């Protein structure tokens, strides 16, 4: 790390967490605020380097959506250790962004073994320029959709992503050498994220969650909730209502939400007025202080309560007890051991029963 000068990878204007406010970001310009800019460059700070995919955006920095950054130094250090990077391994980084982490990877494996894919052409160009200027001319940067991997450089000993996925792309499995590893942040629509480390063998990638780290989602896997669209007056009038029988506090428990997120893919969670909502592509639930209103093909809150009860009976396992298996047959979460798959709900139990009949 001391050999990679992080400031060389940062643009003059960046954004950092706004510690003067409750959430949000503040803009930092090297020309007008040099002390804060340099402190951010060499602090353990994720420095945002692009917002709103580089498109025109609102000027109020508080409300921006970050879309690229120079990763948090402690996070990439933990990732390098978790991926067991070592000299001579061939590494593909997904989400090259500023090139900062690719420079760190180059220092470990050798720059001619480091390949980065970045979807945003402007970012890829500036990463290339920064890497060249910092002496990493032999590291490769390509512009492309990292979900496809990068075939010309394959096979890789490691694929390391610094952009999160909700579905691990099969090309990553196919482009990793048998015995190699994929390390990627994994997100669910419900909330929590974790870094999963998958060992590739026999056309499958299998492994546990190893670190509680969060990254921005890859372009191509961002999913917006449909709650506002589905929550109409007609739907409200037609919703099924019952008295709240279970404490909805588990909707604020990160461990519970991580487990539920694995089992309820595509289900989002939010807050509206004094209540909480959940939504899928065709259903929603609204939970106030006394009632549950549910609409659509699924009873989403009831599903969540049943899964939460089961999770508690299993001893309320935390993220590090879960893992994933990825292969041509899809992506399956498991608990403790790869043979202990946990159920994944993508439709109502009734719809599943009808299909079976
Ligand atoms: C958190 S940043 C990565 C930071 C980088 N490791 C660094 O230290 O500079 C995530 C990056 O992933 C890129 N990205 C998003 N979707 C992608 C995709 N489908 N393929 C390749 N890159 C993608 C974003 O444009 C962004 O630059």
């Amino acid at each position: 790390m001391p050999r990679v000068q992080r400031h060389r990878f940062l643009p003059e204007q960046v954004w950092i967490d706004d510690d003067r406010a409750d959430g949000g970001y503040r803009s930092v310009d090297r020309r007008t605020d040099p002390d804060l800019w340099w402190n951010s460059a060499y602090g353990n700070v994720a420095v945002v380097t692009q917002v709103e995919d580089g498109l025109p955006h609102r000027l109020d920095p508080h409300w921006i959506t970050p879309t690229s950054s120079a990763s948090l130094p402690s996070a990439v250090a933990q990732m390098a250790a978790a991926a067991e990077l070592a000299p001579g391994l061939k590494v593909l980084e997904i989400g090259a962004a500023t090139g900062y982490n690719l420079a760190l990877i180059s220092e470990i494996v050798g720059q001619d073994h480091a390949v980065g894919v970045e979807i945003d052409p402007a970012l890829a160009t500036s990463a290339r320029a920064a890497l060249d200027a910092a002496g990493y001319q032999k590291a490769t940067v390509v512009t492309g959709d990292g979900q496809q991997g990068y075939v010309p450089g394959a096979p890789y000993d490691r694929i390391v992503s610094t952009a999160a996925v909700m579905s691990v792309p099969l090309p990553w499995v196919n482009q990793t050498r048998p015995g190699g590893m994929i390390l990627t942040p994994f997100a669910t629509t419900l909330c929590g994220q974790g870094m999963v480390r998958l060992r590739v063998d026999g056309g499958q990638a299998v492994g546990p969650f190893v670190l509680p780290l969060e990254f921005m989602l890859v372009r191509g896997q961002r999913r917006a909730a449909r709650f506002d669209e589905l929550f109409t007056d007609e739907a409200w009038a037609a919703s099924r209502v019952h008295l709240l029988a279970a404490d909805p506090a588990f909707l604020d428990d990160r461990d519970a939400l991580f487990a539920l997120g694995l089992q309820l893919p595509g289900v989002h969670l939010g807050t509206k007025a004094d209540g909480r909502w959940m939504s899928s592509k065709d259903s929603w639930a609204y939970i106030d202080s006394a009632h549950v209103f549910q609409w659509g093909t699924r009873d989403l809150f009831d599903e969540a309560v049943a899964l939460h009860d089961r999770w508690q009976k299993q001893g309320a396992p935390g993220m590090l007890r879960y893992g994933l298996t990825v292969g041509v047959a899809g992506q399956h979460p498991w608990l403790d051991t790869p043979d202990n798959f946990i159920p994944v709900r993508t439709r109502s139990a009734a719809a599943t029963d009808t299909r079976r009949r």
Side-chain angles (χ1 to χ4, degrees):
M1 275 189 148
R3 287 208 290 270
V4 179
Q5 295 184 304
R6 194 170 181 235
H7 76 274
R8 287 171 167 268
F9 296 88
L10 301 181
E12 305 236 288
Q13 195 204 356
V14 298
W15 295 262
I16 58 170
D17 281 344
D18 191 350
D19 52 14
R20 302 162 308 177
D22 186 16
Y25 295 87
R26 69 188 286 187
S27 158
V28 182
D29 195 304
R30 180 177 172 168
R31 291 152 293 204
T32 52
D33 207 347
D35 290 349
L36 188 53
W37 191 92
W38 282 95
N39 286 341
S40 307
Y42 287 100
N44 190 29
V45 176
V47 178
V48 174
T49 51
Q50 185 203 57
V51 300
E52 315 290 355
D53 292 329
L55 300 170
H57 54 86
R58 277 181 286 199
L59 285 180
D60 183 349
H62 197 79
W63 297 111
I64 52 165
T65 305
T67 48
S68 189
S69 65
S71 295
L72 187 69
S74 61
V76 288
Q78 284 178 292
M79 287 179 70
E84 297 169 15
L85 297 189
L89 293 182
K90 181 134 196 212
V91 180
L92 176 67
E93 187 198 15
I94 311 296
T98 62
Y100 168 62
N101 193 34
L102 205 57
L104 293 172
I105 291 170
S106 297
E107 286 288 345
I108 303 172
V109 301
Q111 49 177 291
D112 46 355
H113 285 80
V115 182
V117 192
E118 169 55 53
I119 200 162
D120 190 297
L123 294 178
T125 302
S126 42
R128 176 74 274 157
L131 285 160
D132 286 348
Y136 301 97
Q137 294 88 348
K138 289 191 188 151
T140 304
V141 180
V142 290
T143 305
D145 182 356
Q147 293 185 92
Q148 302 307 321
Y150 180 61
V151 173
Y156 302 98
D157 297 292
R158 302 285 185 270
I159 294 185
V160 174
S161 183
T162 46
V165 293
M166 293 201 271
S167 171
V168 179
L170 214 45
W172 296 3
V173 181
N174 297 334
Q175 292 173 33
T176 303
R177 204 188 290 284
M181 270 193 239
I182 298 167
L183 184 74
T184 181
F186 184 87
T188 68
T189 45
L190 206 56
C191 103
Q193 270 192 31
M195 188 69 60
V196 70
R197 181 177 59 198
L198 308 169
R199 180 75 72 175
V200 175
D201 237 330
Q204 275 199 329
V206 184
F209 286 89
V210 290
L211 291 167
L213 293 177
E214 305 212 355
F215 281 80
M216 43 192 84
L217 276 167
V218 290
R219 288 191 201 175
Q221 292 199 21
R222 297 172 185 159
R223 300 281 176 271
R226 294 195 66 201
F227 179 73
D228 284 337
E229 202 183 318
L230 299 175
F231 192 71
T232 59
D233 289 346
E234 295 76 42
W236 177 253
S239 63
R240 304 173 289 280
V241 57
H242 65 72
L243 283 171
L244 195 55
D247 184 351
F250 70 89
L251 296 178
D252 294 310
D253 176 335
R254 282 187 71 81
D255 283 342
L257 287 183
F258 181 80
L260 264 58
L262 291 175
Q263 297 175 81
L264 294 172
V267 173
H268 294 254
L269 175 67
T271 302
K272 189 180 183 78
D274 290 331
R276 304 303 303 274
W277 58 258
M278 301 173 70
S279 73
S280 68
K281 62 180 188 311
D282 64 359
S283 304
W284 53 256
Y286 183 75
I287 305 106
D288 70 15
S289 55
H291 307 92
V292 182
F293 302 83
Q294 298 181 107
W295 177 88
T297 62
R298 299 173 65 176
D299 289 318
L300 290 175
F301 183 69
D302 296 348
E303 283 183 34
V305 168
L307 290 172
H308 179 248
D309 285 349
R310 192 183 144 100
W311 175 77
Q312 280 190 310
K313 285 189 187 109
Q314 288 164 333
M319 171 192 295
L320 303 183
R321 282 182 56 193
Y322 288 93
L324 280 185
T325 294
V326 182
V328 280
Q331 170 177 295
H332 304 281
W334 42 261
L335 177 63
D336 294 328
T337 55
D339 56 355
N340 187 24
F341 288 125
I342 53 173
V344 173
R345 305 286 297 268
T346 54
R347 62 179 72 224
S348 71
T352 311
D353 289 349
T354 313
R355 229 163 36 102
R356 283 209 192 102
R357 263 184 253 126

